[in-house]
Amino acid sequence: MHNDIEYVLFTEEQIKTRVREMGAEITRRYAGEEPLFVGVLKGSFVFMADLVRCVDLKCSVDFMAVSSYGSGTTSSGQVRINKDLGHDIEGKHVVIVEDILDSGTTLHYLLKYLANRGPASLAVYTLLDKPERRKKEVKTEMSGFTIPDAFVVGYGLDYDEKYRNLPYIGVLKPEVYGK
Ligand code: IMP
Ligand code: MG
């Protein structure tokens, strides 16, 4: 598995340090509130698990599963909800937790979808941000790392459903795509 990685972009230690900073920021921002963390499956599951343990507040956790289909020639990809929330979010402070913000299609749709349900507030915390690829504008509260336009795996992120269990984030060797 490690042989398929061209180079490591962020080590386990670097990620840990940054996730702690993000958790501390959330703890400050939501002091006195009980936020609901909403993880976007599947990519966010590792980040979510580490992030909430760095948040020193009473809070709850839920997940949504979405898939996005780019239409190829236009900038408006279609997004489908595969698993919706089990919580009513009306009046709640909702914190969306995402692994990576790429074209913005997924989060743009999700923000509109959730805003319709009357949350007290809605904020996005993403671990990675690839601004060069953006097609839809998405306002994020905080992102862990800004990265160049490369396909990355590990720490929840996959290629063909694999590499999610790598403890670091790395760039795949080009020949892996051809296999
Ligand atoms: P968006 O809708 O284009 O912003 O896509 C976001 C989703 O695409 C993420 O939640 C990831 O699942 C996936 N994705 C985008 N870039 C990468 C990458 O570099 N590695 C792995 N998955 C990615
Ligand atoms: Mg994915």
Side-chain angles (χ1 to χ4, degrees):
M1 175 171 66
H2 302 280
N3 286 338
D4 293 345
I5 303 300
E6 179 94 64
Y7 59 94
V8 174
L9 205 52
F10 302 109
T11 65
E12 203 173 345
E13 273 314 307
Q14 286 174 308
I15 298 169
K16 201 176 277 179
T17 301
R18 190 63 181 134
V19 171
R20 251 187 237 128
E21 288 169 1
M22 295 178 84
E25 175 60 30
I26 292 171
T27 304
R28 273 192 298 275
R29 184 185 154 150
Y30 293 94
E33 309 289 350
E34 284 185 24
L36 167 66
F37 289 86
V38 173
V40 186
L41 292 172
K42 298 175 215 169
S44 72
F45 82 107
V46 178
F47 177 42
M48 176 74 135
D50 285 345
L51 182 67
V52 293
R53 282 178 292 176
C54 294
V55 172
D56 190 16
L57 296 171
K58 194 185 281 183
C59 61
S60 24
V61 169
D62 204 342
F63 290 93
M64 287 184 79
V66 297
S67 39
S68 65
Y69 303 95
S71 53
T73 51
T74 72
S75 60
S76 59
Q78 299 244 326
V79 179
R80 197 175 67 191
I81 308 275
N82 298 321
K83 181 216 172 296
D84 209 331
L85 293 174
H87 283 78
D88 177 11
I89 63 166
E90 197 175 332
K92 293 245 172 72
H93 292 282
V94 174
V95 179
I96 299 179
V97 178
E98 184 50 309
D99 54 351
I100 184 166
L101 175 55
D102 188 28
S103 72
T105 307
T106 308
L107 279 178
H108 180 86
Y109 177 87
L110 212 55
L111 281 168
K112 266 206 296 198
Y113 182 80
L114 294 177
N116 274 334
R117 297 192 188 172
S121 69
L122 200 50
V124 175
Y125 287 77
T126 183
L127 181 66
L128 303 175
D129 184 2
K130 255 194 238 179
E132 283 170 42
R133 300 242 314 165
R134 199 79 81 253
K135 289 181 184 162
K136 294 260 185 175
E137 205 190 316
V138 174
K139 183 183 171 290
T140 55
E141 216 48 49
M142 193 177 190
S143 65
F145 304 99
T146 299
I147 63 166
D149 183 11
F151 196 81
V152 296
V153 295
Y155 198 72
L157 292 135
D158 72 304
Y159 169 65
D160 197 20
E161 292 301 327
K162 287 173 282 281
Y163 309 103
R164 293 192 196 273
N165 58 321
L166 286 175
Y168 53 83
I169 293 169
V171 174
L172 268 188
K173 286 180 183 166
E175 61 257 39
V176 176
Y177 295 92
K179 269 180 200 169

